[in-house]
Amino acid sequence: MSSENVRFTDFKSDKQPTWCPGCGDFGTMNGMMKALAETGNSPDDTFVVAGIGCSGKIGTYMRSYALHGVHGRALPVGTGVKLANPDLEVMVAGGDGDGYSIGAGHFVHAVRRNVDITYVVMDNRIYGLTKGQASPTSRPDFETATTPEGPKQPPVNPLALAMAAGGSFIAQSFSSDAMRHTEIVQEAIEHDGFSLVNCFSPCVTFNDVDTYDYFRDSLVDLSEEDDYDPTDYNQAKDAILEADKEYMGILYQNEDSVPYHEAHGVTENMAEIPDGAPDGATDLVREFY
Amino acid sequence: MHDDLNWAIGGEAGDGIASTGKIFAQALSRAGRHVFTSKDFASRIRGGYTAYKVRTSVDQVQSVVDRLDILIALTERTVDENLDELHEDSVIIYDGERTEFSDFEAPEDVTGLDVPLKSLAEDAGGAIMRNVVALGAVCAVADFPIENLDESLEKRFGNKGESIVENNKQAARLGSEYVEEHFAEEGPRYSLDTTDNDYVLLNGDEAIGMGAIAAGCRFYAGYPITPATDVMEYLTGRIEQFGGHVVQAEDELAAINLALGAARAGARSMTATSGPGIDLMAETFGLVATSETPLVITNVMRSGPSTGMPTKQEQGDLNMMLKGGHGEIPRFVVAPTSVAECFHKTVEAFNLAEKYQVPVYLTADLSMAVTERTYEPDEFDMDEVEVDRGKLVDEGDISAWQNEKEQFQPHAVTADGVSPRALPGTKGGVHMSTGLEHDELGRRTEDTDVRVEQVDKRYRKVDTAIEQENFDYREFGDSEADSLVISWGSNEGTLVEALDYLDEDGVNVRVISVPYIFPRPDLSDEVKAAEDVVVVEANATGQFADVVEHDVLERVERINKYDGVDFKADELAAEIKETLA
């Protein structure tokens, strides 16, 4: 199928999502599919990687080449896919537990490698699929079965982690604001380098604090702030570390970002190999004379 | 005096022991002599005791022996460490001007040659060359033409400029001349014949890296760990020349997931690690197998468990590779038996991985990985390398593998257990892969029939491989002998040499060396025909012996159920009754 004719529904599989009615993940996924179609990608040339949890189901509901991996390891898989075939559009999806707890180590290293992939985190500030335990982004006083008095520790600030690791595209979106979410993911796809989109994706079943209403009332859209310049590092740093406000939009973008595959000269599709040893392999033996 | 010369340099880690050893080993190899090297090293950067040993002969050598003819001792401890191996014709070269040697006396019956290594090195341009002065002294003692050192020195120091090379050549000559002048009448002399042969000298890790590039491996991800790091160091800087790339991952979990991602994208992909890393990779290993992704996972075994003895030999990970991981997973385990086999079996591992869409453990043990050996260059004939990518399908083939809704079936149930494989980017081949049990389309299922079909399909590959591949073994010694010795991994070379000693004692044995652990050759006839069977392996419990025993037992009947539903009492009773009938 030629990319001009791709519609966002082409990225939809025939499986009906088993997410709870009202789950924020529906909106997050729809925005991803729309953004892929808008940026001229086709399912045949797109690879989606997901981990474990509610977010991990996304590979089943989207239609593209995809891998549903083990918990917390989606980013290394996406990195491997992109480096082996830079022609593919690679998108990685995960939850806040997947990305900022079990996979936190990989998150920091994926950011600093700056491989040209788009990472969408469906952040609901709770573990949904295991039925309501605290996540790394849960509030300190958020009472759950495993934290009856709240976690009593500050939540991870994923945007600050990304910035500290040298992130070149750091954004936040809200699954319910379909248009802005789609625009932000679209810009993330178009960015040359690693793009983080932390998408607030409310869990209507287990989280009665970080609700649609909460985000609708509290999120400040940076695109509506006249004096906000996402390419200004210091301004971005202040916004990311701001404790009393939550922002939506592109918080930081480094326009000089050079993606990993360009910096390292990894630009060929590695799937194509000769039928025998490559030309010049005999020189490898000569080295041992 | 001896055809077979055993030489060593010993000192503290950080003294340049390994590079000096390598220079001498290469000089011998270039002079047409066979070489077998071994390293005695500890898990530390500086200090302690470390040695590099070289055994050389005009005939092939493939094991260590406990005799030392010439020893360069940079520390007094070096002499103590090797006391048992010194004999009346041994020569020790040391620097009496060094403080710790001021009162040194060579052990009784052993000749000590006091050569002012440091002073002579300074005369040649710098104290740093004292090891090269010692090599020059060795050339005099061994009557080995010093010109043979020159090419090795050029290779080692060529990139540092011509004057550095010339200074080193001069340092070697000063060492040689000093021995000729001062000890002309003293002590034993050896004679190292040279030949016209030009051998190649390499170790198991290097052979694995070279095999990977030859096989078309383009992507490598790994995390540094002794003794597997040399694979990554070999590939770095070389694989790029063939359009490939090496990623030093943040940990082993990332390493195998990076390699998995590249493999899914269609690259021939590899990771290498050692025991502790294999443990960390175990979860993703299951995903690799269930998603039917071709991947080569190299395990250079060292002494375990936990951190064990990281610089020491062991073949203790067999159970982990054969059985490790939760659930039941078909996996291939290939275990080369010599340095040259590390090359050939690596090429084969990539073909097996893609033909059967399985993870392949390629395993070497520490001894083989760090041991350098000489071979005829044509042992590594690149023209003989064949690449078989298995059932890759293109756009045109895909319609044959679509269901009625025109969806591609990446896990189609086939007679041989191998499904078609569409690489991302192939039109019409869109599909998801997952570690969840899945149907033929790759989509999650808990359907009991589909579960059984998919488990059977994946295991059917093993039967197909046994039918189609030649999972053979190597054989040495007396094929008619009543006693059978079975071995795997690096023990082969030692066993081959042991045959000569056994022969002298009139003991006839048949040796079988097995490079395939799973699937493996059927040894039951051989084992049953023998009067005595001994399995030789570097571990405490006999992990391969267990496997052999298992294979020759009378078969027991089995009742199996793996569809995800509990056994029911009545159906179980019925099955038992039927099985016993």
Side-chain angles (χ1 to χ4, degrees):
Chain A
M1 94 188 49
S2 85
S3 53
E4 294 93 66
N5 299 328
V6 173
R7 288 173 307 163
F8 97 90
T9 48
D10 292 329
F11 285 95
K12 251 187 171 148
S13 84
D14 59 357
K15 276 258 183 189
Q16 287 306 309
T18 58
W19 290 321
C20 303
C23 174
D25 291 353
F26 287 100
T28 311
M29 180 175 75
N30 281 340
M32 291 165 66
M33 295 191 290
K34 280 181 188 153
L36 280 165
E38 284 294 319
T39 47
N41 290 289
S42 82
D44 287 328
D45 297 314
T46 302
F47 201 108
V48 174
V49 189
I52 301 287
C54 292
S55 63
K57 297 180 172 186
I58 198 164
T60 313
Y61 309 143
M62 283 178 69
R63 189 175 158 270
S64 74
Y65 282 96
L67 185 110
H68 173 224
V70 297
H71 202 192
R73 320 294 166 207
L75 281 172
V77 174
T79 301
V81 171
K82 185 70 188 181
L83 294 182
N85 186 353
D87 299 334
L88 296 172
E89 185 61 46
V90 178
M91 196 171 265
V92 178
D96 36 316
D98 196 89
Y100 310 139
S101 191
I102 186 168
H106 304 311
F107 173 58
V108 169
H109 291 279
V111 171
R112 83 183 176 97
R113 282 193 190 105
N114 204 30
V115 176
D116 189 16
I117 55 185
T118 299
Y119 183 38
V120 179
V121 180
M122 299 149 127
D123 185 358
N124 57 13
R125 299 180 170 173
I126 193 157
Y127 285 156
L129 203 55
T130 50
K131 306 201 168 166
Q133 298 79 31
S135 98
T137 50
S138 294
R139 296 160 189 250
D141 59 354
F142 187 60
E143 295 170 15
T144 73
T146 52
T147 56
E149 295 170 19
K152 294 184 179 174
Q153 53 198 317
V156 161
N157 179 342
L159 310 182
L161 267 186
M163 190 140 212
S168 63
F169 185 100
I170 301 167
Q172 200 146 255
S173 67
F174 177 33
S175 72
S176 170
D177 191 339
M179 207 164 70
R180 284 294 288 135
H181 170 59
T182 303
E183 279 169 12
I184 291 165
V185 176
Q186 206 173 314
E187 295 214 37
I189 291 171
E190 281 165 355
H191 174 72
D192 287 333
F194 185 88
S195 315
L196 168 69
V197 179
N198 191 66
C199 179
F200 294 121
S201 189
C203 173
V204 292
T205 306
F206 294 109
N207 193 331
D208 53 8
V209 180
D210 300 292
T211 60
Y212 285 102
D213 283 344
Y214 164 74
F215 287 114
R216 209 172 281 131
D217 294 344
S218 60
L219 279 175
V220 177
D221 189 344
L222 288 169
S223 69
E224 289 166 9
E225 305 278 295
D226 289 342
D227 56 347
Y228 194 80
D229 175 8
T231 65
D232 181 336
Y233 185 86
N234 286 320
Q235 217 180 346
K237 187 183 67 187
D238 290 345
I240 284 172
L241 293 176
E242 170 69 65
D244 300 328
K245 273 189 193 156
E246 305 216 54
Y247 294 104
M248 180 167 75
I250 297 162
L251 282 105
Y252 180 64
Q253 182 167 19
N254 178 356
E255 290 180 313
D256 299 326
S257 163
V258 178
Y260 185 101
H261 64 271
E262 278 177 25
H264 293 259
V266 195
T267 53
E268 276 180 54
N269 179 358
M270 295 182 190
E272 287 155 20
I273 58 167
D275 293 338
D279 288 345
T282 303
D283 290 343
L284 297 172
V285 186
R286 287 202 190 99
E287 267 188 68
F288 293 112
Y289 273 92
Chain B
M1 199 179 296
H2 296 275
D3 288 327
D4 177 335
L5 182 100
N6 291 278
W7 169 96
I9 178 166
E12 289 189 357
D15 277 344
I17 304 295
S19 77
T20 311
K22 186 90 183 255
I23 289 168
F24 191 53
Q26 279 174 339
L28 292 162
S29 165
R30 293 300 297 258
R33 294 185 62 85
H34 275 292
V35 170
F36 183 94
T37 77
S38 58
K39 289 164 194 147
D40 194 347
F41 62 115
S43 187
R44 59 192 288 177
I45 308 296
R46 297 192 72 89
Y49 165 73
T50 181
Y52 187 108
K53 296 187 175 181
V54 172
R55 183 174 167 212
T56 176
S57 168
V58 285
D59 301 319
Q60 199 164 62
V61 274
Q62 42 188 336
S63 74
V64 289
V65 292
D66 53 1
R67 194 184 78 239
L68 201 47
D69 304 313
I70 303 177
L71 172 66
I72 300 175
L74 298 180
T75 57
E76 201 172 340
R77 182 174 168 190
T78 304
V79 180
D80 297 336
E81 290 279 351
N82 294 282
L83 220 45
D84 292 346
E85 296 183 9
L86 296 170
H87 54 88
E88 60 179 17
D89 288 329
S90 296
V91 177
I92 299 171
I93 292 163
Y94 66 100
D95 186 348
E97 290 179 1
R98 207 174 156 158
T99 322
E100 76 166 288
F101 282 108
S102 53
D103 301 322
F104 176 74
E105 276 182 39
E108 207 175 336
D109 296 335
V110 175
T111 304
L113 301 186
D114 179 357
V115 182
L117 303 175
K118 191 178 165 203
S119 308
L120 292 174
E122 281 165 350
D123 293 346
I128 196 166
M129 295 182 291
R130 64 179 178 157
N131 293 2
V132 177
V133 174
L135 285 182
V138 170
C139 288
V141 174
D143 192 21
F144 182 63
I146 198 163
E147 294 72 28
N148 289 303
L149 270 186
D150 292 347
E151 282 183 46
S152 288
L153 293 170
E154 281 163 17
K155 193 167 177 170
R156 176 74 179 81
F157 299 111
N159 59 355
K160 294 189 174 175
E162 206 172 311
S163 67
I164 300 282
V165 173
E166 288 308 314
N167 288 351
N168 275 281
K169 288 180 183 174
Q170 174 65 6
R173 271 160 187 75
L174 291 179
S176 173
E177 284 162 14
Y178 191 90
V179 170
E180 298 293 358
E181 280 170 27
H182 295 80
F183 307 113
E185 305 298 322
E186 204 167 321
R189 285 290 187 273
Y190 291 85
S191 176
L192 294 187
D193 294 336
T194 60
T195 76
D196 291 335
N197 297 320
D198 255 344
Y199 297 124
V200 290
L201 178 74
L202 68 168
N203 69 27
D205 276 346
E206 290 167 331
I208 288 169
M210 188 164 73
I213 294 178
C217 173
R218 302 280 288 275
F219 188 86
Y220 176 93
Y223 188 74
I225 183 168
T226 302
T229 315
D230 282 354
V231 177
M232 179 157 61
E233 290 191 359
Y234 176 84
L235 289 172
T236 303
R238 287 185 181 82
I239 202 169
E240 289 86 352
Q241 296 163 26
F242 300 89
H245 190 62
V246 171
V247 176
Q248 181 173 319
E250 56 270 27
D251 55 34
E252 284 87 349
L253 299 102
I256 189 170
N257 280 283
L258 280 154
L260 161 65
R264 284 301 321 171
R268 284 198 156 192
S269 174
M270 177 166 87
T271 182
T273 185
S274 189
I278 288 293
D279 288 350
L280 293 175
M281 292 179 179
E283 185 193 19
T284 298
F285 184 84
L287 169 63
V288 174
T290 312
S291 64
E292 305 192 81
T293 307
L295 192 66
V296 177
I297 299 154
T298 296
N299 178 15
V300 185
M301 289 179 287
R302 63 186 208 182
S303 175
S306 189
T307 17
M309 296 186 293
T311 59
K312 304 300 170 196
Q313 158 77 343
E314 196 167 286
Q315 297 172 305
D317 301 348
L318 193 56
N319 289 340
M320 175 63 187
M321 289 185 286
L322 272 173
K323 304 281 184 191
H326 65 283
E328 296 168 300
I329 318 168
R331 79 285 293 278
F332 289 10
V333 184
V334 178
T337 55
S338 70
V339 170
E341 282 298 300
C342 284
F343 173 81
H344 297 291
K345 291 287 179 272
T346 301
V347 173
E348 193 175 343
F350 278 98
N351 284 336
L352 289 172
E354 288 207 314
K355 279 168 81 174
Y356 299 98
Q357 296 169 24
V358 289
V360 178
Y361 273 126
L362 176 76
T363 188
D365 46 60
L366 178 138
S367 291
M368 187 152 61
V370 305
T371 289
E372 285 141 329
R373 257 191 71 179
T374 39
Y375 288 96
E376 298 279 356
D378 61 11
E379 184 82 40
F380 307 95
D381 185 354
M382 292 294 175
D383 292 335
E384 279 185 17
V385 171
E386 284 175 20
V387 168
D388 187 340
R389 306 211 63 185
K391 287 194 191 174
L392 271 190
V393 293
D394 61 21
E395 198 181 337
D397 303 326
I398 277 174
S399 58
W401 294 102
Q402 282 177 336
N403 73 354
E404 62 284 357
K405 286 180 174 174
E406 296 187 354
Q407 289 168 309
F408 177 67
Q409 300 179 77
H411 303 285
V413 174
T414 57
D416 63 3
V418 185
S419 307
R421 181 168 168 236
L423 301 184
T426 308
K427 283 186 184 158
V430 162
H431 65 273
M432 186 187 74
S433 314
T434 174
L436 291 165
E437 192 52 271
H438 43 257
D439 61 14
E440 290 181 286
L441 296 172
R443 298 185 311 186
R444 175 189 192 155
T445 183
E446 287 170 4
D447 181 297
T448 53
D449 292 340
V450 174
R451 159 73 175 173
V452 171
E453 261 179 18
Q454 286 293 327
V455 172
D456 289 348
K457 182 201 101 69
R458 293 195 290 265
Y459 271 102
R460 206 146 59 232
K461 299 176 194 184
V462 177
D463 300 328
T464 304
I466 289 170
E467 259 173 50
Q468 292 186 353
E469 306 294 327
N470 184 22
F471 293 124
D472 214 347
Y473 51 81
R474 293 149 74 87
E475 196 173 337
F476 306 92
D478 178 1
S479 60
E480 305 292 314
D482 292 332
S483 300
L484 174 62
V485 177
I486 301 173
S487 154
W488 66 287
S490 70
N491 310 311
E492 179 186 286
T494 318
L495 273 170
V496 168
E497 294 207 345
L499 284 173
D500 293 340
Y501 296 96
L502 291 168
D503 208 32
E504 281 174 18
D505 295 339
V507 180
N508 296 329
V509 296
R510 178 185 187 194
V511 173
I512 285 179
S513 173
V514 189
Y516 301 99
I517 310 295
F518 192 86
R520 58 181 165 267
D522 183 356
L523 298 179
S524 47
D525 287 347
E526 279 70 18
V527 171
K528 282 176 177 165
E531 273 179 28
D532 302 295
V533 180
V534 184
V535 179
V536 175
E537 57 192 314
N539 58 44
T541 57
Q543 296 181 26
F544 192 58
D546 287 347
V547 166
V548 173
E549 273 183 8
H550 169 270
D551 287 355
V552 299
L553 278 179
E554 292 294 320
R555 291 287 170 186
V556 295
E557 296 293 339
R558 286 150 206 257
I559 294 170
N560 306 98
K561 186 169 163 71
Y562 38 84
D563 61 6
V565 180
D566 294 352
F567 270 119
K568 290 192 187 72
D570 53 351
E571 78 179 12
L572 185 55
E575 280 208 52
I576 292 171
K577 201 172 150 189
E578 192 187 318
T579 308
L580 296 179

